Amino acid sequence: MQNSSNSTHTAGDEAVGPEQYFQRMLEQGQFMIQRCETTGRAVFYPRAISPYGGGRLRWEAASGDGTIYSTTVVRQRPERGGDYCVVLVDLEEGPRLMSTVVDMEPLAVTIGMRVRAEVRRQSSGVPRVVFVRADRPPVMIARAD
């Protein structure tokens, strides 16, 4: 993936905004973040200008490595999918994002746990970034949860 000098990209003849570009990269199984060209700080969620002084942003592939900062279990009836966890993850690059940890019991997810991002498809077919234990073998774009 080539880095761009700003946060607007071209797909065919139409300009694509930051959120659309992010979603298109997820469709290809790539988790991308932005970096401020002025300060060098990583940025997430995608945006048009840097929150660190309004500078330009460039895209780069995220390492996907992170640490659980916070976790909570959401309780649901089994017929609605059962319990799941919502986490805040500190990425190695610096940004903190909200997601979920999959493929393990929600109560087993702990603060400080090392995790790795994967792009997975929701039951609707839309890709999203989820996390798995860092010691688990990697999987690229996978079927619905």
Side-chain angles (χ1 to χ4, degrees):
M1 178 80 228
Q2 295 179 359
N3 288 339
S4 173
S5 62
N6 64 37
S7 63
T8 302
H9 299 272
T10 303
D13 291 330
E14 66 179 326
V16 176
E19 188 169 347
Q20 290 173 312
Y21 182 79
F22 176 73
Q23 289 299 323
R24 287 186 183 182
M25 292 296 96
L26 287 181
E27 284 288 343
Q28 296 175 25
Q30 295 182 45
F31 173 30
M32 305 291 286
I33 60 174
Q34 296 169 296
R35 190 167 297 276
C36 177
E37 289 185 347
T38 304
T39 66
R41 291 176 71 180
V43 176
F44 188 86
Y45 196 80
R47 51 195 84 199
I49 59 172
S50 173
Y52 308 114
R56 291 169 44 146
L57 297 167
R58 65 174 161 43
W59 287 98
E60 65 184 43
S63 69
D65 296 328
T67 304
I68 301 293
Y69 174 81
S70 176
T71 182
T72 190
V73 175
V74 177
R75 303 281 184 190
Q76 288 191 131
R77 293 182 176 152
E79 62 270 17
R80 298 199 65 208
D83 297 348
Y84 64 96
C85 68
V86 174
V87 294
L88 292 177
V89 175
D90 287 337
L91 293 176
E92 288 294 317
E93 293 86 354
R96 180 175 292 158
L97 64 111
M98 184 182 293
S99 185
T100 188
V101 175
V102 298
D103 299 339
M104 64 184 295
E105 290 297 318
L107 287 173
V109 177
T110 59
I111 293 171
M113 178 184 288
R114 298 288 299 152
V115 291
R116 184 185 66 250
E118 290 186 359
V119 177
R120 300 249 186 128
R121 292 196 183 274
Q122 300 175 73
S123 57
S124 65
V126 175
R128 68 180 178 139
V129 176
V130 298
F131 289 85
V132 297
R133 290 179 67 105
D135 57 1
R136 191 171 157 236
V139 173
M140 289 314 282
I141 232 178
R143 288 185 221 125
D145 300 8

